[in-house]
Amino acid sequence: MISRIRLELARTRHVGSVARRMREIDVRECAAFGHTPKTALREAILGSDKAWTALVDGRPEAIFGVVVNSALTGVGSPWFLGTDVVWQHGRALLGMGPAIIARLHDSSETLAGYVSCENAAAIRMLRRWGFSVEDDRRRFGGVPFHRFEKVLHV
């Protein structure tokens, strides 16, 4: 099966389409950190070293990237916010993962962040992409999150 997902550099013009149709769990994650979907996406794109939009049949369905927290220590925070449509293509996302993660590792040796404990699809995908997901929980905005991490071994 040919993937209907195409990646291109993220642009702020992609924000509205994804923000209006964002998955409910992603909306709750944004809110836990004090953001609306639109502001979360805009700030993430503008603060990222690298960011891409996943288009399905030409329509923006997810935006993701990495914010470099410290170039000195090589730590970056990957992020991925999307619609239900992009998650209907989980197999394609899984296959694209290694190349995407390699690009994220270009700017950060360690990729680490937080994922809602309720975001089962994202947790599964992170694990399949080689991230460790901690069992411990930490609350942000009343929402429990797991920390995840992947270290590039060179």
Side-chain angles (χ1 to χ4, degrees):
M1 179 180 183
I2 296 173
S3 175
R4 294 170 31 211
I5 299 178
R6 180 174 55 84
L7 302 181
E8 66 177 50
L9 291 177
R11 305 206 188 319
T12 54
R13 65 183 162 92
H14 298 147
V15 167
S17 179
V18 174
R20 282 188 300 277
R21 299 174 298 111
M22 189 177 284
R23 290 186 325 141
E24 184 57 37
I25 189 62
D26 288 355
V27 171
R28 287 197 306 269
E29 286 184 354
C30 292
F33 290 99
H35 298 290
T36 65
K38 195 171 192 173
T39 60
L41 286 166
R42 281 184 188 271
E43 289 183 20
I45 290 170
L46 296 174
S48 289
D49 180 56
K50 295 178 169 75
W52 296 274
T53 298
L55 297 107
V56 177
D57 297 332
R59 186 176 186 186
E61 299 294 350
I63 304 175
F64 61 95
V66 62
V67 175
V68 176
N69 298 329
S70 171
L72 205 55
T73 61
V75 177
S77 294
W79 55 275
F80 185 106
L81 297 168
T83 68
D84 289 318
V85 172
V86 78
W87 286 95
Q88 294 169 4
H89 299 272
R91 191 166 295 189
L93 286 175
L94 186 61
M96 297 170 125
I100 292 168
I101 301 305
R103 294 294 307 272
L104 298 178
H105 271 303
D106 284 348
S107 56
S108 302
E109 183 176 321
T110 300
L111 300 173
Y114 290 91
V115 60
S116 168
C117 296
E118 299 173 4
N119 200 340
I123 292 169
R124 271 193 311 276
M125 191 70 68
L126 285 165
R127 287 186 170 136
R128 296 285 299 268
W129 284 346
F131 286 84
S132 62
V133 180
E134 296 177 1
D135 291 331
D136 291 343
R137 296 173 181 220
R138 181 171 178 190
R139 289 192 173 274
F140 296 99
V143 177
F145 284 81
H146 293 295
R147 185 176 186 279
F148 63 87
E149 179 180 86
K150 183 171 183 6
V151 178
L152 178 66
H153 298 287
V154 287

